[in-house]
Amino acid sequence: MGQDASMESFSSRVGIFQCKICLLFLGAGLGLKVTVPSHTVHGVRGQALYLPVNYGFHTPASDIQIIWLFERPHTMPKYLLGSVNESVVPDLEYQHKFTMMPPNASLLINPLQFTDEGNYIVKVNIQGNGTLSSSQKIQVTVDDPVTKPVVQAHPASGAVEYVGNMTLTCQVEGGTRLVYQWLKNGKPVHISSTYSFSPLNNTLWIAPVTKEDIGNYSCLAKNPVSEMESDIIMPTIYYGPYGLQVNSDKGLKVGEVFTVDLGEAVLFNCSADSYPPNTYSWIQKSDNTTYVIKHGPHLEVASEKVAQKTADYMCCAYNNITGRRDETRFTVIITSIGLEKLAQKGKSLSPLASITGISLFLILSMCLLFLWKKYQPHKVIKQKLEGRPETEYRKTQTFSGHEDALDDFGIYEFVAFPDVPSVPRMSSRTAPASDGVSGQDLHCTIYEVIQHIPAQQQDDPE
Ligand SMILES: *[C@@H]1O[C@H](CO)[C@@H](O)[C@H](O)[C@H]1NC(C)=O
Ligand SMILES: *[C@@H]1O[C@H](CO)[C@@H](O)[C@H](O)[C@H]1NC(C)=O
Ligand SMILES: *[C@@H]1O[C@H](CO)[C@@H](O)[C@H](O)[C@H]1NC(C)=O
Ligand SMILES: *[C@@H]1O[C@H](CO)[C@@H](O)[C@H](O)[C@H]1NC(C)=O
Ligand SMILES: *[C@@H]1O[C@H](CO)[C@@H](O)[C@H](O)[C@H]1NC(C)=O
Ligand SMILES: *[C@@H]1O[C@H](CO)[C@@H](O)[C@H](O)[C@H]1NC(C)=O
Ligand SMILES: *[C@@H]1O[C@H](CO)[C@@H](O)[C@H](O)[C@H]1NC(C)=O
Ligand SMILES: *[C@@H]1O[C@H](CO)[C@@H](O)[C@H](O)[C@H]1NC(C)=O
Ligand SMILES: *[C@@H]1O[C@H](CO)[C@@H](O)[C@H](O)[C@H]1NC(C)=O
């Protein structure tokens, strides 16, 4: 009837075949629309499963027919139930299993069994001004939920780095369609040169193990309806020693040299990364002999008990599982505080430290020199000159050789030999008259060196 009506509305030039296609299109696309939120629904065995269906139409309808069919691969489709208006006609074989409340087209399956897995087809027919029909297909899977996986490491006692292998197996008691994934510190583990998986991924092989493989491993097992993660397992991996170093609570460390002030007791601390923890031993070297002085990570050295000013030590770390050892040498230099420290350090320190030390020394020297030059000479000259017999000054002539050197470092010479008043010209010139230094004394003292000074001295108002 609807077909007839539709045909009338179309031009007679249009063929019947094309017309039918158009009608189908109109009927399905505009008149009636059946939709399902999801074409695949995963169900849990033993529970109820709800297959939601919506439909809508825009034509007046007298009868609404809903039919559910079930099909599995290689089997005949089965009729489950159907309805017209609000009356349901079930297949008597399944009447307790499938429920529908028309005009609501959704289907309830309860309880869900493995045999219920397959495709469910819903067909809706609207009888009004013609008949409109539309259908949808929903794929249903049925699974048992996953139980919590248990991970075991083999060998449980642990493996030595670069020597041993580690196998982690993931066991799950219950669950269907299981997919396994390995996590290390919460991130997926990927195949690499040392990691490989069994075909199902439920076994992880680490060959060989390295220190980098230490971590929190877990197995994630999942299927369409659930996922569970195992407890964390930390495989035991023996490694080391690595990064052996010696530190001290006091003293200055530069490279492998510790500078310690005399009288201080210094605690040395030897540490290296390893598992299990290393055993440490301390070895002292003197001349050609070495001897173990202590076992354990700490060594206390009382600087006053060290015979020489420098002593060579060695800390030796040994991992008795990996069988590997490492050792580091260091030197202890006992100093007294001050310039001696700088000087001694300079010998054995790095070039930078030496340069810094020497520079500091020079700067200090220059400062002292400058200060001395500015304030000291007058007083010294005054004191010395006032109280000395002439004979003593005569001695200065014997140091006349130094006077040539005065041109470059004369004042420095004066510092070195304060008893010898090899007075530089400059000081006498700048000496104020108020110092009470008599012109004659000065004349005598400086003698040949500055013969012209008396003339200048007479200019002074005295
Ligand atoms: C369905 O309901 C419509 C009106 O609501 C009625 O005309 C029609 O006869 C009913 N069909 C059946 C099979 O009961
Ligand atoms: C069908 O019924 C279910 C509850 O049984 C409800 O959640 C759903 O919204 C209904 N669908 C329609 C189209 O009314
Ligand atoms: C049924 O369809 C015909 C042609 O399409 C139309 O003329 C008629 O009005 C329709 N009847 C109703 C009740 O919609
Ligand atoms: C570790 O695995 C490698 C390669 O899989 C094998 O050659 C080696 O023998 C294994 N070592 C041990 C200790 O099992
Ligand atoms: C491994 O787990 C322990 C506790 O289970 C935690 O303290 C540690 O930080 C974890 N390590 C990493 C790398 O996540
Ligand atoms: C195993 O895991 C790898 C990556 O982790 C994945 O690409 C592969 O598909 C998995 N195989 C199986 C059988 O789950
Ligand atoms: C020893 O040194 C290590 C590394 O420098 C440090 O972690 C540790 O706390 C130190 N132990 C002591 C007792 O000083
Ligand atoms: C150290 O040993 C070498 C050779 O073994 C020897 O020539 C040297 O004299 C020794 N030095 C001391 C201080 O014993
Ligand atoms: C070293 O090995 C001995 C015996 O082989 C053991 O008693 C000791 O606990 C080990 N020490 C460490 C730090 O592993």
Side-chain angles (χ1 to χ4, degrees):
M1 291 162 68
Q3 280 177 342
D4 293 343
S6 297
M7 274 165 63
E8 282 173 25
S9 71
F10 280 97
S11 160
S12 57
R13 284 171 291 164
V14 181
I16 292 169
F17 181 69
Q18 282 173 311
C19 230
K20 276 185 176 171
I21 292 174
C22 291
L23 179 79
L24 283 172
F25 176 77
L26 283 169
L30 296 173
L32 173 65
K33 193 169 189 177
V34 178
T35 56
V36 291
S38 169
H39 287 276
T40 307
V41 175
H42 304 290
V44 177
R45 183 169 68 128
Q47 294 186 357
L49 183 66
Y50 178 67
L51 301 182
V53 175
N54 291 306
Y55 63 92
F57 51 88
H58 305 293
T59 56
S62 54
D63 300 294
I64 300 168
Q65 187 177 40
I66 301 163
I67 300 166
W68 278 96
L69 300 175
F70 173 65
E71 66 166 18
R72 279 204 286 181
H74 318 301
T75 59
M76 290 281 289
K78 284 191 289 190
Y79 170 84
L80 302 177
L81 49 67
S83 68
V84 176
N85 285 355
E86 312 228 326
S87 69
V88 179
V89 182
D91 183 307
L92 293 181
E93 189 185 350
Y94 314 119
Q95 59 180 323
H96 301 298
K97 184 153 190 159
F98 300 100
T99 315
M100 185 174 63
M101 310 274 284
N104 191 327
S106 304
L107 181 71
L108 185 68
I109 312 170
N110 191 20
L112 191 65
Q113 302 297 339
F114 283 134
T115 50
D116 298 329
E117 204 170 87
N119 292 325
Y120 288 79
I121 297 158
V122 59
K123 184 165 188 271
V124 178
N125 301 317
I126 306 290
Q127 183 90 52
N129 199 357
T131 305
L132 303 174
S133 75
S134 180
S135 62
Q136 287 289 353
K137 190 189 270 192
I138 301 172
Q139 190 188 7
V140 170
T141 65
V142 182
D143 284 297
D144 276 340
V146 179
T147 57
K148 187 171 179 173
V150 174
V151 175
Q152 284 181 328
H154 181 83
S157 57
V160 173
E161 189 181 29
Y162 299 117
V163 176
N165 303 332
M166 187 65 74
T167 303
L168 302 182
T169 51
C170 184
Q171 288 173 334
V172 180
E173 290 283 315
T176 50
R177 289 199 183 89
L178 290 175
V179 172
Y180 299 89
Q181 191 178 30
W182 289 95
L183 304 175
K184 180 187 175 190
N185 300 328
K187 297 200 184 78
V189 175
H190 299 290
I191 286 180
S192 70
S193 55
T194 57
Y195 289 119
S196 54
F197 302 101
S198 64
L200 283 179
N201 282 352
N202 57 343
T203 303
L204 167 63
W205 289 298
I206 311 174
V209 293
T210 62
K211 187 192 164 198
E212 279 65 47
D213 299 327
I214 293 169
N216 293 340
Y217 289 82
S218 61
C219 169
L220 181 66
K222 48 186 175 183
N223 69 6
V225 295
S226 61
E227 65 174 58
M228 291 285 275
E229 192 179 337
S230 70
D231 285 334
I232 279 167
I233 189 168
M234 284 175 276
T236 307
I237 293 169
Y238 303 107
Y239 65 91
Y242 292 124
L244 180 65
Q245 58 173 329
V246 173
N247 287 304
S248 75
D249 57 342
K250 287 196 209 108
L252 182 66
K253 183 186 182 187
V254 179
E256 300 307 321
V257 178
F258 292 88
T259 311
V260 174
D261 287 333
L262 187 66
E264 273 185 342
V266 188
L267 185 67
F268 291 101
N269 169 10
C270 192
S271 63
D273 184 20
S274 86
Y275 186 82
N278 298 297
T279 53
Y280 297 98
S281 48
W282 299 85
I283 293 163
Q284 185 164 12
K285 290 176 63 188
S286 53
D287 298 334
N288 278 357
T289 58
T290 61
Y291 47 94
V292 176
I293 49 177
K294 192 171 182 292
H295 293 284
H298 303 295
L299 174 71
E300 192 171 301
V301 172
S303 58
E304 62 268 20
K305 286 185 186 162
V306 178
Q308 302 96 334
K309 288 220 159 182
T310 69
D312 287 326
Y313 294 93
M314 208 160 80
C315 174
C316 190
Y318 176 62
N319 182 328
N320 69 356
I321 303 288
T322 65
R324 284 196 286 269
R325 67 170 66 243
D326 194 9
E327 58 186 40
T328 183
R329 287 154 203 282
F330 62 100
T331 305
V332 177
I333 298 178
I334 313 293
T335 65
S336 50
I337 311 161
L339 291 177
E340 186 189 353
K341 187 172 177 176
L342 284 170
Q344 286 206 351
K345 265 194 307 173
K347 286 179 199 164
S348 49
L349 298 193
S350 67
L352 189 64
S354 309
I355 289 165
T356 311
I358 291 165
S359 306
L360 201 64
F361 178 78
L362 285 176
I363 289 165
L364 277 171
S365 305
M366 294 302 278
C367 287
L368 283 171
L369 189 64
F370 176 77
L371 286 172
W372 180 87
K373 192 172 165 185
K374 195 164 183 187
Y375 299 109
Q376 276 307 107
H378 317 143
K379 286 180 190 168
V380 173
I381 292 163
K382 179 182 158 192
Q383 287 161 3
K384 305 280 177 189
L385 297 190
E386 273 176 355
R388 260 171 221 214
E390 208 175 349
T391 51
E392 223 175 300
Y393 295 126
R394 294 288 173 204
K395 283 187 200 164
T396 58
Q397 288 175 327
T398 60
F399 288 88
S400 58
H402 286 279
E403 285 178 1
D404 294 330
L406 283 177
D407 289 337
D408 43 44
F409 243 124
I411 291 170
Y412 195 80
E413 288 285 319
F414 189 89
V415 173
F417 303 99
D419 283 340
V420 180
S422 55
V423 181
R425 287 161 225 189
M426 288 302 291
S427 359
S428 65
R429 211 174 272 160
T430 55
S434 59
D435 276 352
V437 178
S438 76
Q440 199 172 8
D441 277 350
L442 269 175
H443 192 62
C444 289
T445 310
I446 303 168
Y447 198 42
E448 283 182 351
V449 182
I450 41 165
Q451 290 174 339
H452 59 282
I453 280 186
Q456 193 165 3
Q457 211 51 36
Q458 281 158 9
D459 290 344
D460 288 342
E462 191 176 4

